[in-house]
Amino acid sequence: MKLSTLIERLQKSRGWLSDGLGRMVGRTPEAPVDLAAVEALLLGADLGVSIVDPMMESVRASLDRAPVRGEAARERIRELVRGALLDRLRPCQVALDVSAAKPFVIVLLGVNGSGKTTTAAKLAERYRGEGRRVILGAADTFRAAAVEQLQIWGARLGVDVIAHPAGSGSGSKGGADPAAVAFDTVQAAIARGADVVCLDTAGRLHTKSNLMEELKKVVRVVGKALPGAPHERLLVLDATVGQNGLAQAKHFHEAVGVTGLVVTKLDGTAKGGILAAIARDLKVPIRFIGIGESADDLIEFNAEQFVEALLGSPRQARPD
Ligand code: GDP
């Protein structure tokens, strides 16, 4: 994906941060910087207090050391924020290597509405496009609509979907048993020589321990079907939920040990800074970001590109 497309998709966050910074300094070259407004801007981007505090400290220290005003001040602040964001995000840029196992089994986790089913489809499209054979598993048996949604995606993308009829197992609300669907999906993948398995799972009521028990069982059963699997426990987080999403993420992490993250809906929010908070709190690789509803709206996370889309490219050093 071209940087210009990413910039366009992230325009809400970019508008908030980059254009916002422009407004923080007065219109004349002599106007002082409103540091309280800068702080509010950064917090509004959902960077979180524990990231914004040290950022503001370094901004203040820098302006004390070498006072500047107007545009020069804005550029100084932009560079400091850019540097701090990159420092936090670079360590999270670790791509997912699905050629590490065959089949490579990905279990998608996350609360309802975070974008799991859509992400499963996007991953299928991505890996199919790379010439790999993909199988989708509909283990979100709690919601009949989720199974149907995955089947529709599968038909559209030309990818097999393994699902059980509702009421065929001991699953909650009369749905099929998610662990049984997971087991069958992995077995089908082995039998059909598939390269990648994407398993959709349930996401209702993340605070309820029965969901976490169900997910643990899915993970256990996948390991029985294929020793060493699942190879990736991919947590899907909705960026528009902001800091609240972090609490949810911790529940999943504690229960099943998340190995990677997908942050979705970055196209619909000004809170793109949440990625830095996620990086700080979870210390788990951000594998992909979701920037739209189509099958190809999932891109590998790239820290430099992301920060550039948010804040613009670094300016050439110039004499102020
Ligand atoms: P699930 O309940 O976690 O399986 O969530 P879904 O995959 O059903 O997604 C919930 C809604 O979010 C759907 O309307 C999706 O089209 C939408 N969605 C998912 N990912 C993205 C994204 O990256 N950007 C936008 N704008 N919408 C998304």
Side-chain angles (χ1 to χ4, degrees), residues 111 113-118 122 143 149 265 267 290-293:
V111 296
S114 60
K116 274 187 312 296
T117 310
T118 312
K122 288 173 172 177
R143 282 195 313 136
Q149 194 186 332
K265 308 189 197 179
D267 53 314
I291 51 167
E293 294 185 86

Side-chain angles (χ1 to χ4, degrees), residues 165-208:
S168 60
S170 58
S172 33
K173 240 175 82 179
D177 177 3
V181 175
F183 189 83
D184 284 0
T185 305
V186 176
Q187 285 222 312
I190 295 167
R192 296 175 199 182
D195 301 296
V196 181
V197 174
C198 300
L199 262 183
D200 194 14
T201 63
R204 83 239 168 228
L205 301 173
H206 66 278
T207 48
K208 287 277 159 64

